Amino acid sequence: MEMEGSLDWTRLPALALTFVSERLADPQDLVRFRAACPEWRQAVPEDAHQRFQPWIVESDHHDDSGNVLFYSPVSGDYHLIHVAALEGRRVAGYGAGLLLGIDTDDELSAVLVNPLTGESTEAPRLPECFHGTLTHGFATDPGMTGESEVVVVVYNRPAVGQARGRVALWRRRDAAGWATVPSETFWMRMPQLRARLLAHGPQVLEGEEAAIVAVNGHAQGHVEWLPGMRGAHVIEHGGQVRVLVRREQPVAAAAGDAPEGPVSPGDPLPRLSFELRNTLDADGEAIDWANAPELHGTVIFQSPGSSCYVLPASDRFAGLSRDCVYFLSWQRQEVVDQDGGVGDGNPFGYFLCKWDMIGRVATVVEKIPGNWQLLKPGRWFLPTFQY
């Protein structure tokens, strides 16, 4: 029996619920709103996740506690989320708002999980060629690729006695399993290989690629490479694959060794630059930004050793600069606190920076608050509750 004067919150007008949900910019607030009751969940527009801006996730391939730390540059808040499906698993990959966890005791067992909703999908066992190696991966976002489903990609470095590294592709929820291809076959042909996987299945794709190797004596492309190797990162947009190369000069470790002096927000960073290429070859030539029309007006989020997000500029990213690469970097900092005293003695800080692909200059956007650990680099993560 309803008490006199009490309010049934499930019976609020749908228009009022939608009005409130549209003003929740933080992904976790919106997830909690949707979880309150079916009526509130129904009031949230299906495309609400499209207004989320990227988070930064702390990467630690030794941590299997299920605790994942996120930082939101928009709100300035940290979110420590416990993901039950990741207990006993290390986070090995990111993408499409999902985390790829690999069992620390069974390196061929993997799970795909959304940290916001807690929903998880067990992956088929990884191919045997991933046994005894440190596996990494990522998931593609259908909202960016235009494909019908999330595709998970895992890769490794060559093991002892193994001629080359391998890449395996899996269509989420497909019981047919993984398609394994040589790593040099994959990276510059990602859209084509994914399309064939989705259209014909893993066995057909794997057989076709094996036939190419049998005829040519090597895989098509024949460039042995892994994400982050030689500072190169593959970026994909509009069906076109390019290579973004991060060129970084060494930063002195001692406080007195850096002639440039301390860096503060807005200062140029001459120690770092980016260039665009059409090939993964170590001696590949740079191409001008004007010759990559599919990237014009986009915002690129680059992470160390992993895939990049390439997103079209829109009202969603109104506070971000077009034709720029956003990245994270350790830089010199002032060690004096606001009261004029000495800080923690650490001459370096972790900064969010951007590189202007047209103006060819890097600037600091903001310092990441707190004491970010050097051995746990931040990676971009685009939260969603869609997948």
Side-chain angles (χ1 to χ4, degrees), residues 282-306:
D283 56 352
E285 293 185 2
I287 64 171
D288 193 88
W289 185 254
N291 295 324
E294 79 282 359
L295 296 176
H296 294 177
T298 62
V299 181
I300 301 175
F301 299 90
Q302 181 267 323
S303 297
S306 62

Side-chain angles (χ1 to χ4, degrees), residues 34 41 46 49-50 95-99 112-121 139-151 172-173 309 381-387:
R34 294 173 74 246
R41 183 186 182 95
E46 291 185 0
H49 64 279
Q50 294 183 3
L98 303 169
L99 301 175
L112 202 61
V113 58
N114 186 318
L116 292 186
T117 66
E119 297 178 3
S120 62
T121 304
T140 62
D141 188 335
M144 299 182 192
T145 63
E147 295 166 344
S148 60
E149 181 55 278
V150 172
V151 174
R172 188 179 62 157
R173 302 190 181 100
Y309 288 110
F381 180 83
L382 195 58
T384 181
F385 50 74
Q386 185 175 20
Y387 307 119

Side-chain angles (χ1 to χ4, degrees), residues 143-167:
M144 299 182 192
T145 63
E147 295 166 344
S148 60
E149 181 55 278
V150 172
V151 174
V152 180
V153 176
V154 294
Y155 56 92
N156 64 5
R157 294 181 182 275
V160 177
Q162 186 176 337
R164 56 173 61 91
R166 308 292 288 186
V167 172

Side-chain angles (χ1 to χ4, degrees), residues 27-90:
Q28 278 205 294
D29 289 341
L30 196 55
V31 168
R32 295 188 187 104
F33 184 94
R34 294 173 74 246
C37 62
E39 290 80 6
W40 288 30
R41 183 186 182 95
Q42 189 175 4
V44 178
E46 291 185 0
D47 61 351
H49 64 279
Q50 294 183 3
R51 64 174 178 263
F52 296 161
Q53 294 208 14
W55 281 355
I56 299 169
V57 56
E58 180 185 73
S59 62
D60 182 0
H61 65 265
H62 297 292
D63 187 356
D64 63 356
S65 67
N67 295 324
V68 186
L69 183 64
F70 297 91
Y71 171 70
S72 169
V74 174
S75 67
D77 295 328
Y78 279 93
H79 302 288
L80 181 62
I81 301 177
H82 182 76
V83 185
L86 292 178
E87 292 177 1
R89 294 182 169 100
R90 65 177 180 87

